[in-house]
């Protein structure tokens, strides 16, 4: 089994999280900033935590948490765009990345679950 650092989905999620932190650093709405950066950070963190667990069932659970966080992040991006905190071009790019991460996680979850069947 690969290390989490070798997973393309973890790499993409970690990059997106870093981008969110950099872009939101100056935002004065601390509640929104903290929520969106936490959702972004939760994705690669849950992937990593899952891959450090002992069983495929645990791995799949944490990958599901990561996928849920990707949905939460997309929601916050949409809202951030609507209220003017996130430029539309930046938001569209982040939405595409978050959707891609979600699809990758879906495939990885299916793969892990098939090992336990």
């Amino acid at each position: 089994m690969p290390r989490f650092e070798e997973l393309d989905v973890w790499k993409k999620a970690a990059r997106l999280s870093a981008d969110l932190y950099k872009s939101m650093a100056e935002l004065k709405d601390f509640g929104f900033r903290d929520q969106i950066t936490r959702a972004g950070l939760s994705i690669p963190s849950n992937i990593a935590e899952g891959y450090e667990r002992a069983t495929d069932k645990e791995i799949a659970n944490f990958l599901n948490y990561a996928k849920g966080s990707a949905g939460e992040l997309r929601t916050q991006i949409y809202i951030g765009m609507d209220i003017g905190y996130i430029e539309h071009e930046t938001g569209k790019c982040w939405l595409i990345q978050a959707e891609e991460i979600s699809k990758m996680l879906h495939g990885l979850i299916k793969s892990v679950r098939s090992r336990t069947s």
Side-chain angles (χ1 to χ4, degrees):
M1 188 167 76
R3 296 177 46 195
F4 71 83
E5 294 96 338
E6 298 169 3
L7 297 170
D8 286 339
V9 67
W10 179 84
K11 292 175 188 175
K12 286 179 185 288
R15 256 192 316 271
L16 177 57
S17 179
D19 286 347
L20 289 164
Y21 269 92
K22 290 174 190 172
S23 294
M24 297 283 119
E26 301 299 317
L27 184 64
K28 300 296 184 221
D29 183 337
F30 301 116
F32 184 85
R33 183 184 70 195
D34 290 349
Q35 191 68 31
I36 195 169
T37 54
R38 279 193 192 123
L41 183 61
S42 181
I43 302 167
S45 298
N46 277 305
I47 295 167
E49 188 167 355
Y51 266 72
E52 293 295 319
R53 297 293 176 138
T55 68
D56 285 341
K57 183 178 180 187
E58 289 178 301
I59 294 169
N61 283 338
F62 278 91
L63 293 175
N64 265 315
Y65 301 149
K67 191 172 184 306
S69 292
E72 180 183 355
L73 176 60
R74 288 197 317 272
T75 297
Q76 293 160 359
I77 293 167
Y78 282 120
I79 293 168
M81 290 166 56
D82 284 347
I83 61 177
Y85 287 173
I86 300 170
E87 292 180 15
H88 282 271
E89 286 307 309
T90 300
K92 287 179 195 175
C93 181
W94 287 347
L95 287 169
I96 290 166
Q97 290 176 56
E99 182 69 27
E100 184 177 313
I101 289 165
S102 187
K103 288 176 182 177
M104 293 171 79
L105 285 166
H106 178 75
L108 191 53
I109 291 164
K110 283 177 59 174
S111 174
V112 169
R113 284 189 176 150
S114 73
R115 295 191 310 224
T116 60
S117 301

